[in-house]
């Protein structure tokens, strides 16, 4: 690949991305700030055999996680058999008691899973976390690849790589597979949401209606979309981009003004599909992550193809002892936080900060996990005309219809800070296209 040929289009490509609204919004302290999501022209390249290995492990992992969620809200065998402590499940903020006994249309819970991975310097891939609630990010490499293709068609003619333009087709396949009859809508909380660009872009690409809660109503045990003329049309599937607690003010947070009253009631009756299913947070709690390899063995009778990062649960006395003895060598994560928040490195703390954190850890051991710091690989980025190395991860997308499908692309995020391991867009990171070679 001629890197220089591709990089000379960096400025016009980023200008076009900004014009199309490829931005990342952050709403905090009652203020909304919108920032560009910087795109780096040098792609991450993954070979055919290597991606086949990832594909096998990702399918296996998502199948096990779906079986786990179904089990937790039905028979709870994994708890009865002592694989996961009962109190560990029910103490997690992601478990929703109201979902107990509910089977979603098609029996699928995580229709779209965003699995975050890093590759260590020895080539080993590790899963850092599983995003099963409202994983975002697929739209960014989609539109970036499209613009790059227009700017430098020769690059894509001369390199043999998988075409990533099929994500919308795969997503539509998932929507149609669980649709119980009627239109499909993408439910957005509105333009002040961090990923609003993605909501509108995916609606355009899939042909789904982009709708807010004000445009949807429940009547006679069914959901209806109200168009601009006031006409009501039945909805059979909702790709919701609203968190569980704001989805339905009659069943969750009564102060929600972005949800749809009684939506959960008709979902419980099987009269609408919700993508992803409410209650999935029970499986993407960072504490539950510790048990995923055991889930694979328990539900599928197989060893996990993809490894977790070496992880310790202070909840267990033996692990707490290890964490305290090796505190400076570990990264500590709050299990309920996301977006790079709640992550602290032991060796970056002052003495007082360590003492305070350890007191909190001992008081609330279920709240944290500790992990070995993986020295994951750097990828080249273009920074002010110079090629420099930066830490990067990969969010792989697994879609579930009649079978699990791994999108042959992904969102590669990188840190723009040379001293940081945190790549999240909310922390100022940028993104790359991910090329999966076709031969």
């Amino acid at each position: 690949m001629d890197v220089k040929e591709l990089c000379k289009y960096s400025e016009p490509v980023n200008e076009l991305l900004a014009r199309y609204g490829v931005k990342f919004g952050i709403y905090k302290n009652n203020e909304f700030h919108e920032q560009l999501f910087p795109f780096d022209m040098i792609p991450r390249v993954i070979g055919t055999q290597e991606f086949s290995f990832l594909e096998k492990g990702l399918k296996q992992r998502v199948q096990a996680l779906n079986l786990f969620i179904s089990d937790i809200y039905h028979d709870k065998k994994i708890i009865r058999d002592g694989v996961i402590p009962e109190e560990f499940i029910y103490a997690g903020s992601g478990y929703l008691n109201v979902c107990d006994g509910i089977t979603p249309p098609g029996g699928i819970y995580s229709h779209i899973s965003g699995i975050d991975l890093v590759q260590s310097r020895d080539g080993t891939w590790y899963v850092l976390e599983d995003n099963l609630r409202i994983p975002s990010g697929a739209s960014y490499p989609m539109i970036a690849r499209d613009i790059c293709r227009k700017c430098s068609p020769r690059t894509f003619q001369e390199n043999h790589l998988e075409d990533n333009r099929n994500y919308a087709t795969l997503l539509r396949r998932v929507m149609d597979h669980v649709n119980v009859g009627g239109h499909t809508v993408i439910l957005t909380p509105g333009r002040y949401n961090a990923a609003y660009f993605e909501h509108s872009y995916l609606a355009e690409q899939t042909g789904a209606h982009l709708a807010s809660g004000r445009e949807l109503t429940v009547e006679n045990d069914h959901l209806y979309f109200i168009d601009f003329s006031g006409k009501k049309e039945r909805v059979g599937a909702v790709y919701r981009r609203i968190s569980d607690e704001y989805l339905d003010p009659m069943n969750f947070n009564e102060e929600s003004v972005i949800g749809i009253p009684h939506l959960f009631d008709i979902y419980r009756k099987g009269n609408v599909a919700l993508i992803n299913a409410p209650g999935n947070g029970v499986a993407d709690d960072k504490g539950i992550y510790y048990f995923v390899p055991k889930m694979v063995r328990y539900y599928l009778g197989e060893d996990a193809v993809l490894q977790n990062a070496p992880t310790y649960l202070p909840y267990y006395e033996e692990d707490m002892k290890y964490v305290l003895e090796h505190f400076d060598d570990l990264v500590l994560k709050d299990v309920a936080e996301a977006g790079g928040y709640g992550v602290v490195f032991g060796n970056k703390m002052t003495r007082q900060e360590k003492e305070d954190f350890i007191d909190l850890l001992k008081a609330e051991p279920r709240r944290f996990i500790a992990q070995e710091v993986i020295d994951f690989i750097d990828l080249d980025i273009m920074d002010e005309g110079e090629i420099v190395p930066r830490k990067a991860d990969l969010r792989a997308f697994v879609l579930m219809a009649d079978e699990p499908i791994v999108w042959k692309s992904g969102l590669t995020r990188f840190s723009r800070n040379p001293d940081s391991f945190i790549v999240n867009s909310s922390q100022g990171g940028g993104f790359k296209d991910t090329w999966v070679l076709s031969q």
Side-chain angles (χ1 to χ4, degrees):
M1 181 184 65
D2 187 343
V3 172
K4 290 182 179 179
E5 164 69 18
L6 200 56
C7 285
K8 71 182 184 182
Y9 297 103
S10 180
E11 188 174 338
V13 167
N14 273 281
E15 286 176 355
L16 281 170
L17 289 171
R19 186 181 303 174
Y20 284 124
V22 184
K23 300 178 181 180
F24 192 85
I26 299 175
Y27 190 80
K28 196 171 184 180
N29 299 325
N30 296 319
E31 293 183 358
F32 179 73
H33 298 283
E34 204 168 40
Q35 61 194 43
L36 293 174
F37 196 6
F39 174 66
D40 183 70
M41 296 294 292
I42 306 173
R44 168 178 235 147
V45 180
I46 301 177
T48 305
Q49 289 186 337
E50 187 168 30
F51 193 81
S52 293
F53 166 79
L54 291 176
E55 188 174 33
K56 180 180 179 182
L58 289 164
K59 287 181 178 181
Q60 179 197 58
R61 192 174 182 98
V62 169
Q63 284 180 307
L65 285 163
N66 268 283
L67 290 169
F68 167 72
I69 300 170
S70 178
D71 186 19
I72 287 302
Y73 288 121
H74 290 86
D75 297 333
K76 304 170 179 56
K77 292 179 180 178
I78 200 167
I79 296 174
R80 290 206 309 270
D81 289 341
V83 179
I84 302 177
E86 182 176 18
E87 60 270 30
F88 208 87
I89 298 290
Y90 300 134
S93 60
Y95 174 78
L96 296 182
N97 185 57
V98 294
C99 293
D100 201 61
I102 296 177
T103 301
I108 301 169
Y109 290 83
S110 188
H111 310 79
I112 302 127
S113 305
I115 310 299
D116 292 345
L117 307 109
V118 294
Q119 188 176 26
S120 69
R121 292 188 182 276
D122 67 1
T124 303
W125 286 90
Y126 293 96
V127 176
L128 280 189
E129 62 181 58
D130 307 290
N131 299 280
L132 311 178
R133 304 186 207 202
I134 315 173
S136 64
S139 63
Y140 302 116
M142 287 172 69
I143 191 169
R145 174 88 64 91
D146 187 53
I147 294 173
C148 288
R149 191 185 296 275
K150 293 173 182 175
C151 288
S152 181
R154 186 168 68 85
T155 299
F156 295 89
Q157 291 168 357
E158 296 178 354
N159 292 280
H160 302 283
L161 62 149
E162 297 286 352
D163 192 340
N164 76 346
R165 288 175 290 187
N166 66 338
Y167 184 83
T169 301
L170 297 177
L171 180 57
R172 187 74 211 197
R173 175 179 165 184
V174 169
M175 294 169 167
D176 292 344
H177 181 71
V178 296
N179 191 307
V180 299
H183 287 293
T184 296
V185 302
I186 294 180
L187 174 61
T188 178
R191 69 171 298 271
Y192 292 112
N193 183 265
Y196 180 71
F197 162 76
E198 176 155 284
H199 307 167
S200 57
Y201 184 75
L202 291 179
E204 176 188 331
Q205 295 296 308
T206 60
H209 291 311
L210 181 66
S212 67
R214 295 188 302 273
E215 297 167 290
L216 297 165
T217 184
V218 173
E219 293 182 8
N220 302 317
D221 279 344
H222 291 95
L223 182 66
Y224 294 90
F225 171 74
I226 307 170
D227 69 14
F228 65 92
S229 68
K231 180 182 177 182
K232 295 178 182 176
E233 300 175 313
R234 187 176 166 186
V235 173
V238 177
Y239 178 15
R240 52 90 174 213
R241 301 301 296 257
I242 292 177
S243 299
D244 290 351
E245 61 267 32
Y246 299 110
L247 199 55
D248 179 352
M250 308 305 292
N251 285 277
F252 301 110
N253 187 338
E254 62 183 17
E255 296 181 358
S256 173
V257 295
I258 57 175
I260 306 162
H262 301 294
L263 176 65
F264 190 78
D265 296 324
I266 62 169
Y267 165 72
R268 184 188 286 114
K269 294 178 179 179
N271 291 345
V272 69
L274 296 180
I275 305 167
N276 283 337
N280 276 11
V282 70
D284 75 2
D285 178 305
K286 289 183 177 67
I288 294 297
Y289 157 94
Y290 174 90
F291 297 98
V292 176
K294 295 183 179 182
M295 292 178 200
V296 174
R297 167 56 57 185
Y298 182 79
Y299 293 114
L300 303 178
E302 303 167 356
D303 291 329
V305 173
L306 292 171
Q307 300 181 41
N308 279 6
T311 304
Y312 308 93
L313 286 186
Y315 174 85
Y316 292 122
E317 185 177 342
E318 183 178 347
D319 282 15
M320 174 70 86
K321 181 181 177 183
Y322 182 90
V323 170
L324 297 179
E325 291 175 351
H326 300 84
F327 192 84
D328 285 356
D329 301 322
L330 302 171
V331 54
L332 292 303
K333 298 181 179 180
D334 189 319
V335 300
E337 293 281 4
Y341 295 101
V343 177
V344 293
F345 290 81
N347 61 1
K348 301 291 186 182
M349 294 183 183
T350 65
R351 181 175 179 178
Q352 186 60 54
E353 287 172 338
K354 288 180 187 178
E355 291 177 359
D356 293 344
F357 191 92
I358 288 172
D359 287 342
L360 179 61
L361 185 65
K362 290 178 178 178
E364 301 180 55
R366 169 63 177 84
R367 181 177 166 183
F368 300 96
I369 63 169
Q371 292 180 322
E372 303 285 354
V373 180
I374 297 173
D375 187 13
F376 52 97
I377 63 171
D378 299 295
L379 296 181
D380 286 341
I381 71 163
M382 184 65 72
D383 185 24
E384 297 183 356
E386 299 290 329
I387 295 179
V388 295
R390 292 290 184 268
K391 297 298 181 188
D393 76 350
L394 171 65
R395 173 164 292 181
F397 292 90
V398 185
L399 295 92
M400 181 73 80
D402 52 322
E403 61 179 352
I405 309 158
V406 180
W407 184 38
K408 292 185 177 180
S409 185
L411 176 66
T412 291
R413 301 175 297 181
F414 63 89
S415 171
R416 290 194 289 164
N417 181 345
D419 300 318
S420 176
F421 281 68
I422 298 177
V423 301
N424 304 73
S425 50
S426 56
Q427 304 294 313
F431 78 102
K432 290 174 170 287
D433 194 2
T434 304
W435 289 10
V436 177
L437 299 184
S438 60
Q439 61 182 45

